[in-house]
Amino acid sequence: MATSLNNTGHDMKIIVIGATGILGQAVVTHLHALGHDVITASRNSGMEQVDIRDDASVRALFVRTGKVDAIVSTAGVVSFEPLRSMTSAQFMLGLQDKFLGQVRLALIGQDFVHEGGSITLTTGITGHEPIAAGANATAVNVGIEGFVQAAALELPNRIRINAVSPNVLTEALPDFAPYFPGFGSVSGAEAARAYQRSIEGIQTGRVFKVGY
């Protein structure tokens, strides 16, 4: 088994939030194969439960897990709705869940990351290639990427922060192919390597595009 070491010379303790989704499962599998100690969390299952829409839930999660070397988020949902029929409540779903939820993980989580550790958030191809019914997804993904670029300048203790922006996942095509006509796709396993790059590398404030 391959072993990856951080700059303190030991396998990393990593928490993956959104670990039961298609992308989350692929990331967890990849990090396990590298020899890391992975804690899984999601809204309804996993080793730990957390609601990223709630400050108290997020803080309680990190109190339970203690300090980690890396926080990874593959969590969050958005609304896919034509602009003509989009309501502000539907638009708010993505803002409160995928956008603010991941920002919340970084804001609260920075106090629970070891010096020199990292935070990795997830955006997606719609942040760079808008699609029909995707105004909410595009706005959310662009917002997260802007947050990452600015937060990288201010995080304490040499903590790094990046975002991974994958193309639509091959495993998710049965549900999402109609939204991405003519697009390619990327496997969860390939996307997972970008999270390794964020966790084990030295870059910060970066958006790692995968599959496009």
Side-chain angles (χ1 to χ4, degrees):
M1 178 175 63
T3 300
S4 298
L5 304 177
N6 66 6
N7 57 13
T8 63
H10 58 79
D11 297 337
M12 295 187 189
K13 179 182 177 183
I14 302 169
I15 183 165
V16 178
I17 297 127
T20 57
I22 293 172
L23 179 57
Q25 290 181 60
V27 171
V28 169
T29 297
H30 186 69
L31 295 178
H32 272 310
L34 293 170
H36 293 306
D37 176 14
V38 182
I39 301 167
T40 61
S42 67
R43 195 160 293 167
N44 298 310
S45 58
M47 295 167 63
E48 298 284 349
Q49 281 75 56
V50 64
D51 184 350
I52 64 172
R53 300 166 298 184
D54 181 74
D55 280 17
S57 180
V58 169
R59 185 168 296 278
L61 169 69
F62 291 129
V63 168
R64 292 194 303 270
T65 61
K67 282 206 168 186
V68 297
D69 297 300
I71 296 170
V72 173
S73 172
T74 59
V77 297
V78 297
S79 292
F80 286 97
E81 182 73 25
L83 191 67
R84 184 67 182 85
S85 56
M86 174 80 75
T87 66
S88 58
Q90 289 171 323
F91 202 90
M92 186 63 72
L93 172 65
L95 298 181
Q96 291 290 351
D97 199 300
K98 185 174 182 180
F99 176 69
L100 188 55
Q102 293 198 93
V103 168
R104 180 177 286 112
L105 290 172
L107 294 178
I108 297 174
Q110 64 181 316
D111 293 330
F112 295 89
V113 176
H114 288 301
E115 182 174 356
S118 68
I119 299 169
T120 308
L121 307 183
T122 297
T123 62
I125 190 171
T126 57
H128 302 266
E129 297 289 343
I131 60 173
N136 187 231
T138 295
V140 166
N141 288 335
V142 170
I144 294 168
E145 292 178 4
F147 170 77
V148 162
Q149 292 167 22
L153 304 176
E154 294 192 58
L155 281 171
N157 302 321
R158 297 187 299 110
I159 296 171
R160 298 176 300 102
I161 185 169
N162 298 296
V164 174
S165 177
N167 200 344
V168 60
L169 295 183
T170 305
E171 296 90 333
L173 285 177
D175 293 325
F176 288 98
Y179 293 100
F180 295 91
F183 283 67
S185 65
V186 64
S187 70
E190 183 176 348
R193 286 196 289 271
Y195 292 85
Q196 178 188 359
R197 181 180 175 188
S198 177
I199 294 165
E200 297 181 358
I202 62 172
Q203 296 93 342
T204 190
R206 294 286 303 278
V207 177
F208 299 122
K209 298 179 183 179
V210 188
Y212 70 98

